[in-house]
Amino acid sequence: MLHHIPVLLTEVLTIWHTKKGGFYIDGTVGLGGHSEALLKKDPEAQVLGIDRDPQSLEIAKERLKEFGSRIFFVQDNFKNIKKIMKDLKLPKANGLLFDLGISSFQLEDGARGFSFQRAGPLDMRMDPDINQTAENLIRDLSIKELAEIIQNFGEEKRAKKIAFEIKRQSLKMKLNTLKLSQIISKIVHPNKNQNLSIHPATRTFQALRIATNKELENLKLILKETPDLLQAGAHSVWISFHSLEDRIIKNAIRDWTQGCICPKDFPQCVCQKHKELFDLTRKAIVAGEKEALQNPRSRSAKLRAVEKI
Ligand SMILES: C[S@@+](CC[C@H](N)C(=O)[O-])C[C@H]1O[C@@H](n2cnc3c(N)ncnc32)[C@H](O)[C@@H]1O
């Protein structure tokens, strides 16, 4: 079934939309849930929808065709937004949105390799044109490097043992999602010390997906460009599902909103740093009880936003 419930929809609409008839960029348009709601809320708004995943874009195009030329799509990595805007001669945006990670549509398609519960190849690429699959990653990394990825991106306590077993088994057989899941489940299992409320393979799969798609690198790159992409008064909104992503966003916001960093006893500013953006969410916005019940995916979502000064 082709579906994905957009998270924190009311909150996104309130913050993302800053000007009637404005120009908005959805950097992770997916199946177009958030964009559709914005186009309905403001009948004059225009949206550029970007996604790395051509399959998702095809569905979004079909779903949102009623809006005609008010929405147009580009298949690309959001780290390239500045270039896309230059190539298409687009104005600075009245709002940016990044709803990070993958959609339920991608997760539920076994052939994409994202799910530990569905049989499929160890692919995990959002963009099928990149060469790096999760399988190649496992093949090319040393046990130590693989363990670091599982530890850092998955915050998995048993990373070393898991990495060792994955490498050992991958030399004996071709791994797929279910085989990988079984290997991990033999190492990470609920016992008296570990009260697991998630599937044992969740953290390792998440880590491999983040590494395969270079998700944190892409996020850091787009954060560097964010102030240049916005008109004065425009907002940029991020929804993250991982503590590392949230920390990266929080640090970027702190940096933008800080202003002069010269020591207090300097007679005048020499750092030339000025406040570029205003923090709209000192504390991240999270899903309310009702949404968390209706859409389990929303439980780990954190929304942060800034306003261009
Ligand atoms: C959580 S889904 C977005 C769902 C969307 N907001 C909706 O309501 O349908 C995240 C989407 O971002 C895309 N994505 C993730 N990283 C990306 C990147 N660096 N560049 C472009 N798209 C990316 C994924 O392919 C996926 O379709």
Short mmCIF file of all heavy atoms in Angstrom, two decimals, residues 4-62:
data_model
loop_
_atom_site.label_atom_id
_atom_site.label_comp_id
_atom_site.label_asym_id
_atom_site.label_seq_id
_atom_site.Cartn_x
_atom_site.Cartn_y
_atom_site.Cartn_z
N HIS A 4 1.98 7.14 3.61
CA HIS A 4 2.91 7.71 4.58
C HIS A 4 2.14 8.82 5.28
O HIS A 4 1.62 9.72 4.63
CB HIS A 4 4.14 8.28 3.87
CG HIS A 4 5.06 8.98 4.83
ND1 HIS A 4 6.01 8.31 5.56
CD2 HIS A 4 5.14 10.28 5.20
CE1 HIS A 4 6.65 9.18 6.33
NE2 HIS A 4 6.14 10.38 6.14
N ILE A 5 2.04 8.74 6.60
CA ILE A 5 1.31 9.80 7.32
C ILE A 5 2.30 10.89 7.68
O ILE A 5 3.28 10.63 8.39
CB ILE A 5 0.67 9.24 8.62
CG1 ILE A 5 -0.15 7.99 8.33
CG2 ILE A 5 -0.17 10.31 9.31
CD1 ILE A 5 -0.61 7.25 9.59
N PRO A 6 2.09 12.12 7.17
CA PRO A 6 3.05 13.18 7.50
C PRO A 6 3.04 13.49 9.00
O PRO A 6 1.96 13.60 9.59
CB PRO A 6 2.56 14.39 6.69
CG PRO A 6 1.25 14.02 6.12
CD PRO A 6 1.00 12.57 6.30
N VAL A 7 4.22 13.60 9.59
CA VAL A 7 4.28 13.82 11.04
C VAL A 7 4.18 15.31 11.37
O VAL A 7 4.53 16.17 10.56
CB VAL A 7 5.57 13.23 11.69
CG1 VAL A 7 5.67 11.74 11.46
CG2 VAL A 7 6.80 13.94 11.20
N LEU A 8 3.68 15.59 12.56
CA LEU A 8 3.57 16.95 13.11
C LEU A 8 2.98 17.92 12.08
O LEU A 8 3.48 19.05 11.91
CB LEU A 8 4.97 17.43 13.57
CG LEU A 8 5.60 16.62 14.71
CD1 LEU A 8 7.08 16.96 14.88
CD2 LEU A 8 4.87 16.88 16.03
N LEU A 9 1.96 17.47 11.39
CA LEU A 9 1.43 18.22 10.25
C LEU A 9 0.94 19.62 10.64
O LEU A 9 1.26 20.61 9.98
CB LEU A 9 0.30 17.42 9.57
CG LEU A 9 -0.26 18.01 8.30
CD1 LEU A 9 0.82 18.21 7.25
CD2 LEU A 9 -1.35 17.11 7.72
N THR A 10 0.17 19.71 11.72
CA THR A 10 -0.37 21.02 12.13
C THR A 10 0.77 21.97 12.46
O THR A 10 0.79 23.13 12.05
CB THR A 10 -1.26 20.84 13.39
OG1 THR A 10 -2.13 19.75 13.16
CG2 THR A 10 -2.04 22.07 13.71
N GLU A 11 1.75 21.44 13.19
CA GLU A 11 2.88 22.28 13.62
C GLU A 11 3.69 22.73 12.40
O GLU A 11 4.10 23.89 12.29
CB GLU A 11 3.79 21.49 14.58
CG GLU A 11 3.15 21.14 15.93
CD GLU A 11 2.25 19.90 15.90
OE1 GLU A 11 2.00 19.36 14.81
OE2 GLU A 11 1.80 19.47 16.97
N VAL A 12 3.93 21.80 11.46
CA VAL A 12 4.70 22.14 10.25
C VAL A 12 3.98 23.24 9.48
O VAL A 12 4.59 24.24 9.09
CB VAL A 12 4.90 20.90 9.35
CG1 VAL A 12 5.39 21.30 7.96
CG2 VAL A 12 5.90 19.93 9.98
N LEU A 13 2.68 23.08 9.30
CA LEU A 13 1.94 24.07 8.50
C LEU A 13 1.99 25.45 9.14
O LEU A 13 2.16 26.46 8.46
CB LEU A 13 0.48 23.64 8.37
CG LEU A 13 0.18 22.63 7.28
CD1 LEU A 13 -1.31 22.46 7.11
CD2 LEU A 13 0.81 23.05 5.95
N THR A 14 1.85 25.48 10.46
CA THR A 14 1.86 26.77 11.16
C THR A 14 3.21 27.46 11.00
O THR A 14 3.29 28.67 10.80
CB THR A 14 1.59 26.54 12.67
OG1 THR A 14 0.45 25.72 12.78
CG2 THR A 14 1.38 27.84 13.41
N ILE A 15 4.30 26.69 11.07
CA ILE A 15 5.62 27.32 11.09
C ILE A 15 6.19 27.51 9.68
O ILE A 15 6.78 28.54 9.36
CB ILE A 15 6.60 26.51 11.97
CG1 ILE A 15 6.02 26.35 13.38
CG2 ILE A 15 7.96 27.20 12.05
CD1 ILE A 15 6.82 25.44 14.28
N TRP A 16 6.02 26.50 8.82
CA TRP A 16 6.62 26.53 7.47
C TRP A 16 6.02 27.67 6.64
O TRP A 16 6.72 28.37 5.91
CB TRP A 16 6.36 25.17 6.81
CG TRP A 16 7.03 24.92 5.51
CD1 TRP A 16 8.18 25.49 5.03
CD2 TRP A 16 6.60 23.99 4.50
NE1 TRP A 16 8.49 24.97 3.79
CE2 TRP A 16 7.53 24.05 3.45
CE3 TRP A 16 5.52 23.10 4.39
CZ2 TRP A 16 7.42 23.26 2.30
CZ3 TRP A 16 5.41 22.31 3.25
CH2 TRP A 16 6.35 22.39 2.22
N HIS A 17 4.70 27.88 6.78
CA HIS A 17 3.99 28.86 5.95
C HIS A 17 4.14 30.25 6.56
O HIS A 17 3.61 30.52 7.64
CB HIS A 17 2.51 28.47 5.85
CG HIS A 17 1.74 29.35 4.93
ND1 HIS A 17 0.86 30.30 5.37
CD2 HIS A 17 1.75 29.45 3.58
CE1 HIS A 17 0.34 30.93 4.33
NE2 HIS A 17 0.87 30.44 3.24
N THR A 18 4.84 31.15 5.86
CA THR A 18 5.09 32.48 6.45
C THR A 18 4.42 33.60 5.65
O THR A 18 4.28 34.71 6.15
CB THR A 18 6.60 32.79 6.48
OG1 THR A 18 7.11 32.64 5.15
CG2 THR A 18 7.34 31.88 7.44
N LYS A 19 4.07 33.31 4.38
CA LYS A 19 3.56 34.40 3.55
C LYS A 19 2.57 33.86 2.54
O LYS A 19 2.87 32.88 1.84
CB LYS A 19 4.74 35.04 2.81
CG LYS A 19 4.37 36.27 2.06
CD LYS A 19 5.57 36.81 1.29
CE LYS A 19 5.11 37.90 0.36
NZ LYS A 19 5.89 37.98 -0.83
N LYS A 20 1.41 34.50 2.45
CA LYS A 20 0.40 34.05 1.48
C LYS A 20 0.97 34.19 0.06
O LYS A 20 1.59 35.20 -0.27
CB LYS A 20 -0.85 34.92 1.63
CG LYS A 20 -2.07 34.30 1.01
CD LYS A 20 -3.34 34.95 1.55
CE LYS A 20 -4.57 34.23 1.08
NZ LYS A 20 -4.72 34.07 -0.33
N GLY A 21 0.80 33.14 -0.73
CA GLY A 21 1.29 33.19 -2.10
C GLY A 21 2.81 33.11 -2.20
O GLY A 21 3.38 33.47 -3.23
N GLY A 22 3.45 32.64 -1.15
CA GLY A 22 4.92 32.58 -1.15
C GLY A 22 5.46 31.37 -1.91
O GLY A 22 4.71 30.53 -2.42
N PHE A 23 6.81 31.32 -1.95
CA PHE A 23 7.50 30.21 -2.63
C PHE A 23 8.18 29.34 -1.56
O PHE A 23 8.99 29.84 -0.77
CB PHE A 23 8.54 30.77 -3.61
CG PHE A 23 9.49 29.72 -4.12
CD1 PHE A 23 9.02 28.57 -4.76
CD2 PHE A 23 10.87 29.87 -3.95
CE1 PHE A 23 9.90 27.60 -5.20
CE2 PHE A 23 11.75 28.90 -4.40
CZ PHE A 23 11.26 27.76 -5.03
N TYR A 24 7.84 28.08 -1.56
CA TYR A 24 8.30 27.17 -0.51
C TYR A 24 9.11 26.01 -1.10
O TYR A 24 8.81 25.56 -2.21
CB TYR A 24 7.09 26.62 0.27
CG TYR A 24 6.36 27.74 0.97
CD1 TYR A 24 5.36 28.46 0.30
CD2 TYR A 24 6.74 28.15 2.23
CE1 TYR A 24 4.74 29.54 0.91
CE2 TYR A 24 6.13 29.22 2.85
CZ TYR A 24 5.13 29.92 2.18
OH TYR A 24 4.54 30.98 2.79
N ILE A 25 10.10 25.55 -0.34
CA ILE A 25 10.87 24.39 -0.78
C ILE A 25 10.67 23.26 0.21
O ILE A 25 10.88 23.44 1.42
CB ILE A 25 12.37 24.72 -0.92
CG1 ILE A 25 12.57 25.84 -1.94
CG2 ILE A 25 13.15 23.47 -1.33
CD1 ILE A 25 14.02 26.24 -2.16
N ASP A 26 10.23 22.12 -0.32
CA ASP A 26 10.14 20.90 0.48
C ASP A 26 11.33 20.04 0.07
O ASP A 26 11.33 19.42 -1.00
CB ASP A 26 8.80 20.20 0.18
CG ASP A 26 8.56 19.01 1.09
OD1 ASP A 26 9.53 18.53 1.70
OD2 ASP A 26 7.40 18.55 1.19
N GLY A 27 12.36 20.03 0.90
CA GLY A 27 13.62 19.35 0.55
C GLY A 27 13.54 17.84 0.62
O GLY A 27 14.45 17.15 0.17
N THR A 28 12.46 17.33 1.22
CA THR A 28 12.28 15.88 1.37
C THR A 28 10.81 15.59 1.08
O THR A 28 10.07 15.15 1.96
CB THR A 28 12.61 15.44 2.82
OG1 THR A 28 11.86 16.27 3.71
CG2 THR A 28 14.08 15.55 3.13
N VAL A 29 10.40 15.81 -0.15
CA VAL A 29 8.96 15.83 -0.45
C VAL A 29 8.31 14.45 -0.28
O VAL A 29 7.13 14.36 0.05
CB VAL A 29 8.70 16.42 -1.86
CG1 VAL A 29 9.16 15.52 -2.96
CG2 VAL A 29 7.23 16.77 -2.05
N GLY A 30 9.09 13.37 -0.45
CA GLY A 30 8.54 12.02 -0.25
C GLY A 30 7.29 11.80 -1.08
O GLY A 30 7.28 12.04 -2.29
N LEU A 31 6.20 11.39 -0.44
CA LEU A 31 4.95 11.20 -1.18
C LEU A 31 4.13 12.49 -1.21
O LEU A 31 3.01 12.52 -1.70
CB LEU A 31 4.12 10.07 -0.56
CG LEU A 31 4.78 8.69 -0.48
CD1 LEU A 31 3.75 7.62 -0.18
CD2 LEU A 31 5.55 8.33 -1.72
N GLY A 32 4.68 13.55 -0.63
CA GLY A 32 4.07 14.87 -0.78
C GLY A 32 3.04 15.24 0.28
O GLY A 32 2.28 16.18 0.09
N GLY A 33 3.03 14.55 1.40
CA GLY A 33 2.01 14.82 2.43
C GLY A 33 2.05 16.24 2.96
O GLY A 33 1.02 16.93 3.00
N HIS A 34 3.24 16.71 3.36
CA HIS A 34 3.33 18.07 3.92
C HIS A 34 3.05 19.11 2.83
O HIS A 34 2.36 20.10 3.06
CB HIS A 34 4.72 18.31 4.53
CG HIS A 34 4.93 17.58 5.83
ND1 HIS A 34 5.82 16.54 5.95
CD2 HIS A 34 4.38 17.75 7.05
CE1 HIS A 34 5.80 16.09 7.20
NE2 HIS A 34 4.93 16.81 7.89
N SER A 35 3.62 18.87 1.64
CA SER A 35 3.43 19.84 0.54
C SER A 35 1.96 19.95 0.16
O SER A 35 1.45 21.05 -0.08
CB SER A 35 4.23 19.41 -0.69
OG SER A 35 5.58 19.68 -0.50
N GLU A 36 1.29 18.82 0.10
CA GLU A 36 -0.13 18.83 -0.25
C GLU A 36 -0.91 19.70 0.73
O GLU A 36 -1.73 20.54 0.32
CB GLU A 36 -0.67 17.39 -0.21
CG GLU A 36 -2.14 17.29 -0.53
CD GLU A 36 -2.67 15.86 -0.41
OE1 GLU A 36 -2.08 15.05 0.35
OE2 GLU A 36 -3.67 15.56 -1.07
N ALA A 37 -0.62 19.54 2.00
CA ALA A 37 -1.35 20.31 3.02
C ALA A 37 -1.06 21.80 2.87
O ALA A 37 -1.96 22.64 3.02
CB ALA A 37 -0.95 19.82 4.41
N LEU A 38 0.18 22.15 2.53
CA LEU A 38 0.51 23.57 2.35
C LEU A 38 -0.22 24.15 1.13
O LEU A 38 -0.76 25.26 1.19
CB LEU A 38 2.02 23.76 2.18
CG LEU A 38 2.43 25.23 2.10
CD1 LEU A 38 2.88 25.74 3.45
CD2 LEU A 38 3.52 25.46 1.09
N LEU A 39 -0.23 23.38 0.04
CA LEU A 39 -0.88 23.85 -1.18
C LEU A 39 -2.39 24.03 -0.97
O LEU A 39 -3.02 24.89 -1.58
CB LEU A 39 -0.61 22.88 -2.33
CG LEU A 39 0.84 22.87 -2.84
CD1 LEU A 39 1.14 21.61 -3.63
CD2 LEU A 39 1.13 24.11 -3.68
N LYS A 40 -2.95 23.21 -0.10
CA LYS A 40 -4.39 23.33 0.20
C LYS A 40 -4.63 24.53 1.11
O LYS A 40 -5.60 25.26 0.96
CB LYS A 40 -4.90 22.06 0.89
CG LYS A 40 -5.18 20.94 -0.09
CD LYS A 40 -5.87 19.77 0.58
CE LYS A 40 -6.20 18.70 -0.44
NZ LYS A 40 -6.22 17.36 0.16
N LYS A 41 -3.74 24.72 2.06
CA LYS A 41 -3.91 25.82 3.03
C LYS A 41 -3.81 27.17 2.33
O LYS A 41 -4.55 28.09 2.63
CB LYS A 41 -2.83 25.69 4.11
CG LYS A 41 -2.75 26.88 5.06
CD LYS A 41 -1.66 26.68 6.11
CE LYS A 41 -1.37 27.99 6.82
NZ LYS A 41 -1.10 27.84 8.23
N ASP A 42 -2.86 27.28 1.38
CA ASP A 42 -2.64 28.55 0.70
C ASP A 42 -2.79 28.33 -0.81
O ASP A 42 -1.86 27.86 -1.47
CB ASP A 42 -1.22 29.05 1.03
CG ASP A 42 -0.89 30.35 0.29
OD1 ASP A 42 -1.67 30.77 -0.58
OD2 ASP A 42 0.17 30.93 0.59
N PRO A 43 -3.94 28.69 -1.37
CA PRO A 43 -4.21 28.40 -2.79
C PRO A 43 -3.32 29.17 -3.75
O PRO A 43 -3.40 28.95 -4.95
CB PRO A 43 -5.68 28.79 -2.96
CG PRO A 43 -6.21 29.06 -1.61
CD PRO A 43 -5.07 29.33 -0.70
N GLU A 44 -2.48 30.08 -3.22
CA GLU A 44 -1.58 30.80 -4.14
C GLU A 44 -0.12 30.40 -3.96
O GLU A 44 0.76 30.88 -4.69
CB GLU A 44 -1.72 32.31 -3.91
CG GLU A 44 -3.02 32.87 -4.48
CD GLU A 44 -3.39 34.18 -3.84
OE1 GLU A 44 -2.49 34.98 -3.56
OE2 GLU A 44 -4.59 34.39 -3.61
N ALA A 45 0.15 29.55 -3.00
CA ALA A 45 1.54 29.17 -2.72
C ALA A 45 2.10 28.31 -3.85
O ALA A 45 1.36 27.62 -4.55
CB ALA A 45 1.61 28.40 -1.41
N GLN A 46 3.43 28.38 -4.01
CA GLN A 46 4.12 27.52 -4.98
C GLN A 46 5.15 26.69 -4.21
O GLN A 46 5.76 27.20 -3.27
CB GLN A 46 4.86 28.37 -6.00
CG GLN A 46 3.93 28.97 -7.04
CD GLN A 46 4.67 29.19 -8.34
OE1 GLN A 46 5.76 29.73 -8.31
NE2 GLN A 46 4.10 28.76 -9.44
N VAL A 47 5.34 25.46 -4.66
CA VAL A 47 6.26 24.57 -3.94
C VAL A 47 7.22 23.90 -4.91
O VAL A 47 6.81 23.42 -5.97
CB VAL A 47 5.48 23.48 -3.15
CG1 VAL A 47 6.44 22.49 -2.50
CG2 VAL A 47 4.58 24.09 -2.09
N LEU A 48 8.50 23.88 -4.52
CA LEU A 48 9.48 23.04 -5.21
C LEU A 48 9.67 21.80 -4.32
O LEU A 48 10.04 21.93 -3.15
CB LEU A 48 10.82 23.78 -5.35
CG LEU A 48 12.05 22.91 -5.63
CD1 LEU A 48 11.92 22.16 -6.95
CD2 LEU A 48 13.33 23.76 -5.64
N GLY A 49 9.38 20.63 -4.87
CA GLY A 49 9.51 19.39 -4.11
C GLY A 49 10.75 18.63 -4.56
O GLY A 49 10.88 18.29 -5.74
N ILE A 50 11.65 18.39 -3.62
CA ILE A 50 12.91 17.69 -3.95
C ILE A 50 12.93 16.35 -3.22
O ILE A 50 12.51 16.26 -2.06
CB ILE A 50 14.12 18.53 -3.50
CG1 ILE A 50 14.13 19.87 -4.25
CG2 ILE A 50 15.44 17.79 -3.71
CD1 ILE A 50 15.18 20.84 -3.75
N ASP A 51 13.41 15.33 -3.88
CA ASP A 51 13.66 14.06 -3.20
C ASP A 51 14.73 13.29 -3.98
O ASP A 51 14.82 13.41 -5.20
CB ASP A 51 12.39 13.20 -3.09
CG ASP A 51 12.44 12.25 -1.90
OD1 ASP A 51 13.24 11.28 -1.96
OD2 ASP A 51 11.73 12.49 -0.91
N ARG A 52 15.52 12.51 -3.24
CA ARG A 52 16.55 11.68 -3.89
C ARG A 52 15.93 10.47 -4.55
O ARG A 52 16.53 9.84 -5.40
CB ARG A 52 17.50 11.12 -2.82
CG ARG A 52 18.29 12.12 -2.07
CD ARG A 52 19.21 11.43 -1.10
NE ARG A 52 20.36 10.90 -1.81
CZ ARG A 52 21.38 10.30 -1.24
NH1 ARG A 52 21.40 10.12 0.05
NH2 ARG A 52 22.40 9.87 -1.95
N ASP A 53 14.72 10.12 -4.10
CA ASP A 53 14.14 8.84 -4.48
C ASP A 53 13.18 9.00 -5.66
O ASP A 53 12.09 9.55 -5.50
CB ASP A 53 13.41 8.28 -3.25
CG ASP A 53 12.77 6.94 -3.55
OD1 ASP A 53 12.98 6.40 -4.65
OD2 ASP A 53 12.06 6.43 -2.67
N PRO A 54 13.56 8.51 -6.85
CA PRO A 54 12.69 8.69 -8.01
C PRO A 54 11.33 8.01 -7.86
O PRO A 54 10.33 8.53 -8.35
CB PRO A 54 13.49 8.07 -9.16
CG PRO A 54 14.58 7.28 -8.55
CD PRO A 54 14.80 7.78 -7.17
N GLN A 55 11.29 6.87 -7.16
CA GLN A 55 10.00 6.17 -6.99
C GLN A 55 9.02 7.02 -6.19
O GLN A 55 7.84 7.13 -6.53
CB GLN A 55 10.22 4.87 -6.22
CG GLN A 55 10.68 3.72 -7.07
CD GLN A 55 10.70 2.42 -6.25
OE1 GLN A 55 9.88 2.20 -5.37
NE2 GLN A 55 11.66 1.58 -6.53
N SER A 56 9.51 7.61 -5.10
CA SER A 56 8.64 8.46 -4.27
C SER A 56 8.17 9.66 -5.09
O SER A 56 7.00 10.05 -5.02
CB SER A 56 9.38 8.95 -3.02
OG SER A 56 9.77 7.87 -2.23
N LEU A 57 9.08 10.24 -5.86
CA LEU A 57 8.73 11.42 -6.65
C LEU A 57 7.62 11.12 -7.65
O LEU A 57 6.72 11.92 -7.85
CB LEU A 57 9.95 11.95 -7.41
CG LEU A 57 10.84 12.94 -6.68
CD1 LEU A 57 11.90 13.48 -7.63
CD2 LEU A 57 10.05 14.10 -6.09
N GLU A 58 7.71 9.94 -8.29
CA GLU A 58 6.67 9.56 -9.26
C GLU A 58 5.30 9.53 -8.60
O GLU A 58 4.31 10.01 -9.14
CB GLU A 58 6.99 8.19 -9.88
CG GLU A 58 8.00 8.24 -11.01
CD GLU A 58 7.73 9.36 -12.01
OE1 GLU A 58 6.62 9.40 -12.55
OE2 GLU A 58 8.61 10.21 -12.22
N ILE A 59 5.27 8.98 -7.39
CA ILE A 59 3.98 8.89 -6.68
C ILE A 59 3.51 10.29 -6.27
O ILE A 59 2.34 10.64 -6.41
CB ILE A 59 4.11 7.97 -5.45
CG1 ILE A 59 4.41 6.55 -5.93
CG2 ILE A 59 2.85 7.98 -4.61
CD1 ILE A 59 4.88 5.62 -4.85
N ALA A 60 4.45 11.10 -5.78
CA ALA A 60 4.08 12.46 -5.37
C ALA A 60 3.52 13.24 -6.56
O ALA A 60 2.50 13.93 -6.44
CB ALA A 60 5.30 13.17 -4.78
N LYS A 61 4.17 13.10 -7.73
CA LYS A 61 3.71 13.82 -8.93
C LYS A 61 2.27 13.44 -9.25
O LYS A 61 1.44 14.29 -9.55
CB LYS A 61 4.59 13.44 -10.13
CG LYS A 61 5.85 14.24 -10.22
CD LYS A 61 6.64 13.82 -11.47
CE LYS A 61 8.06 14.30 -11.35
NZ LYS A 61 8.97 13.68 -12.31
N GLU A 62 2.00 12.15 -9.20
CA GLU A 62 0.65 11.66 -9.52
C GLU A 62 -0.35 12.15 -8.48
O GLU A 62 -1.42 12.66 -8.82
CB GLU A 62 0.72 10.11 -9.57
CG GLU A 62 -0.55 9.40 -9.97
CD GLU A 62 -1.10 9.83 -11.34
OE1 GLU A 62 -0.30 10.21 -12.21
OE2 GLU A 62 -2.35 9.78 -11.50
#
